[in-house]
Amino acid sequence: MKTTKMLTREEADQKWYVVDAKDKVLGRLATRVADVLRGKHKPTFTPNADIGDFVIVVNAEKVKLTGKKRTDKVYYHHTGFMGGLKSTTPEKVLGSKHPTRVVEWAVRGMLPKTRLGDRLFTKLKVYAGPEHPHKAQQPQALPVSE
């Protein structure tokens, strides 16, 4: 009888990838990045272990949203106080001090809502401009469809 090999985090070889988000559609980019973070692109995918790779996203402020999503999509959060429902749009977020949050929120929504998802999210590095401080890891380019 054959058994399936279940990898642990220590047994997995984790690589670094870099993605240029300039003129890439946000949803397609987030889906590809979430799959790589989770490890679904590997033949040794283990659903309950952190065997995915690290992903660096550069030029996050130049990501593309299709249709009227830039102005009509709404992000909500609650402060925890009475009447504390706050809302914002991607246009406001991309024009603010933290334009990387649009990509972070999109990818975070595609990861598991568990402790594993929290750990996977720490392996995502998002930068607004074209520069990143992870040159020593020698990241490879990750292809993302348009």
Side-chain angles (χ1 to χ4, degrees):
M1 183 164 140
K2 291 188 176 188
T3 59
T4 302
K5 173 73 173 147
M6 301 297 267
L7 290 182
T8 61
R9 184 171 34 127
E10 293 79 23
E11 294 170 343
D13 68 337
Q14 297 179 333
K15 297 178 182 170
W16 285 73
Y17 292 102
V18 65
V19 177
D20 187 3
K22 184 176 181 181
D23 296 329
K24 297 281 194 281
V25 177
L26 177 62
R28 294 180 190 276
L29 172 78
T31 303
R32 181 72 172 129
V33 169
D35 281 349
V36 172
L37 288 172
R38 187 95 195 270
K40 287 192 163 190
H41 64 293
K42 296 181 177 184
T44 57
F45 171 66
T46 305
N48 61 335
D50 175 13
I51 64 159
D53 297 324
F54 290 82
V55 179
I56 304 161
V57 179
V58 294
N59 288 322
E61 64 188 0
K62 296 180 178 136
V63 73
K64 184 167 76 171
L65 282 89
T66 58
K68 296 194 294 183
K69 290 190 196 98
R70 188 174 282 273
T71 56
D72 292 356
K73 183 178 175 64
V74 181
Y75 296 118
Y76 294 102
H77 78 279
H78 201 283
T79 63
F81 292 97
M82 294 287 290
L85 185 65
K86 304 290 182 182
S87 62
T88 187
T89 63
E91 189 171 44
K92 290 179 189 172
V93 176
L94 288 170
S96 72
K97 192 166 83 171
H98 303 286
T100 60
R101 289 186 180 162
V102 172
V103 175
E104 290 172 355
W105 292 339
V107 173
R108 181 68 183 107
M110 296 181 186
L111 293 175
K113 302 342 182 236
T114 59
R115 290 182 297 178
L116 175 62
D118 295 340
R119 176 172 294 203
L120 295 173
F121 186 64
T122 63
K123 294 172 18 177
L124 173 67
K125 315 295 182 191
V126 184
Y127 299 98
E131 298 298 318
H132 64 85
H134 306 286
K135 302 243 189 288
Q137 282 74 25
Q138 300 170 349
Q140 303 168 4
L142 183 69
V144 177
S145 62
E146 290 292 321

